[in-house]
């Protein structure tokens, strides 16, 4: 019987392997459910190192940060709708967002026939605890039609080109804020001097100069530097 004995042992080993694999799968599949909830800003990494993307989803902003959550939706390629979310570390999303093209920004309840202005800023430059470069101007587009902003197609008069978030290392979570204003027939511009630098932009003065008061809607998302990424040139 020297032939059948090893075969039986092989079958037992195979069975044990399958059992172990099934247990491992069951275990890993429960992890995102048990720890993927909100209330863990920045530090949490529920789906870390999960290349399949299962369980790697943006978490909701903590309650203290939802003040700007309005009717504006922000969709990045791959990431989806990250309005009022924290970009997770898993799937290299924090690295990817630094190179992804401009997002789709949708204002579904825009008023037909109206003209809009979109402003995207980072108030936490270079960090939230030391925002001496507040505001960092990421994107300014005026003359956006209602039809375009309803569809999320941000085009019109590009005053400042889209620049993706590149939070510097060890500066914690940054807020990326989007404001939409009813432009009306205002002619929007930024002085040549101001347009030279993105940092330390005086948003309040810009709004005052254009007689813009309250925004129509807004939102924000948060992300931070991914430790594994080479520091961006800032
Ligand atoms: C996008 O996310 C925001 C905030 O979580 C939510 O209010 C909105 O309904 C979402 N929209 C879509 C189309 O997923
Ligand atoms: C933008 O809109 C303003 C106000 O309606 C208008 O005067 C201006 O010509 C428009 N600019 C462009 C580049 O379309």
């Amino acid at each position: 019987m020297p032939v059948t004995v090893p075969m039986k042992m092989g079958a037992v080993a195979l069975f044990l392997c399958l059992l172990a694999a099934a247990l491992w799968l069951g275990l890993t599949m429960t992890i995102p459910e048990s720890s993927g909830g909100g209330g863990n800003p920045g530090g949490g990494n529920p789906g870390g190192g999960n290349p399949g993307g299962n369980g790697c989803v943006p978490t909701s902003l903590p309650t203290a940060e939802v003040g700007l959550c309005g009717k504006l939706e922000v969709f990045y390629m791959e990431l989806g709708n990250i309005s009022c979310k924290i970009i997770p570390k898993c799937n290299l999303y924090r690295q990817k967002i630094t190179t992804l093209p401009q997002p789709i920004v949708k204002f579904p309840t825009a008023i037909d026939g109206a003209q809009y202005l979109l402003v995207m800023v980072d108030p936490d430059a270079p960090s939230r605890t030391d925002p001496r470069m507040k505001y960092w101007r990421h994107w300014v587009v005026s003359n956006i039609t209602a039809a375009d902003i309803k569809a999320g197609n941000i085009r019109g008069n590009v005053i400042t080109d889209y620049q993706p978030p590149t939070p510097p290392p060890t500066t914690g979570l940054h807020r990326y804020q989007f404001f939409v204003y009813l432009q009306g027939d205002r002619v929007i511009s930024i002085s040549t001097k101001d347009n030279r630098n993105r940092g330390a932009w005086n948003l309040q003065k810009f709004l005052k100069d254009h007689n813009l008061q309250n925004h129509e809607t807004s939102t924000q998302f948060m992300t931070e530097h991914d430790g594994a990424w080479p520091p961006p040139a800032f």
Side-chain angles (χ1 to χ4, degrees):
M1 300 297 194
V3 179
T4 57
V5 170
M7 272 177 70
K8 267 182 191 162
M9 280 171 69
V12 169
L14 180 67
F15 172 76
L16 285 175
C17 274
L18 286 173
L19 187 70
L23 281 173
W24 180 80
L25 269 177
L27 202 67
T28 51
M29 281 169 74
T30 59
I31 287 168
E33 278 177 303
S34 56
S35 66
N40 194 7
N45 186 11
N50 185 346
N54 290 336
C56 181
V57 289
T59 48
S60 296
L61 289 182
T63 327
E65 310 283 357
V66 300
L68 290 178
C69 298
K71 289 184 179 141
L72 208 53
E73 299 170 349
V74 177
F75 302 84
Y76 277 91
M77 207 185 274
E78 255 192 83
L79 271 152
N81 181 11
I82 50 98
S83 180
C84 289
K85 298 275 155 88
I86 298 173
I87 307 300
K89 191 174 164 67
C90 51
N91 257 352
L92 301 179
Y93 281 150
R94 287 180 183 166
Q95 296 182 21
K96 286 178 185 167
I97 201 161
T98 67
T99 58
L100 288 176
Q102 71 176 55
I104 285 169
V105 180
K106 261 189 203 174
F107 181 26
T109 53
I111 305 159
D112 286 328
Q115 182 162 256
Y116 291 94
L117 163 71
L118 172 74
V119 171
M120 174 187 175
V121 288
D122 172 5
D124 304 321
S127 72
R128 193 158 178 173
T129 47
D130 177 22
R132 61 184 189 277
M133 298 300 270
K134 170 181 183 163
Y135 287 87
W136 193 271
R137 197 173 63 254
H138 278 270
W139 203 14
V140 178
V141 182
S142 69
N143 295 46
I144 309 169
T145 66
D148 275 342
I149 205 165
K150 271 187 180 181
N153 191 4
I154 301 304
R155 58 178 181 180
N157 191 22
V158 179
I159 292 169
T160 304
D161 280 329
Y162 174 74
Q163 183 190 54
T166 52
T170 69
T171 60
L173 284 167
H174 285 230
R175 291 166 290 174
Y176 293 90
Q177 306 183 326
F178 296 75
F179 299 100
V180 166
Y181 301 88
L182 203 48
Q183 184 186 333
D185 55 10
R186 293 171 182 84
V187 177
I188 309 291
S189 67
I190 292 181
S191 72
T192 319
K193 179 178 156 283
D194 275 3
N195 233 345
R196 241 175 259 144
N197 297 302
R198 288 179 183 263
W201 184 43
N202 191 338
L203 176 57
Q204 272 73 37
K205 184 175 182 299
F206 167 81
L207 295 175
K208 194 164 170 276
D209 287 351
H210 290 92
N211 191 26
L212 290 159
Q213 275 115 31
N214 298 330
H215 48 263
E216 285 298 294
T217 189
S218 61
T219 193
Q220 67 176 357
F221 70 84
M222 288 164 92
T223 188
E224 65 182 308
H225 187 273
D226 186 307
W229 194 239
F234 206 62

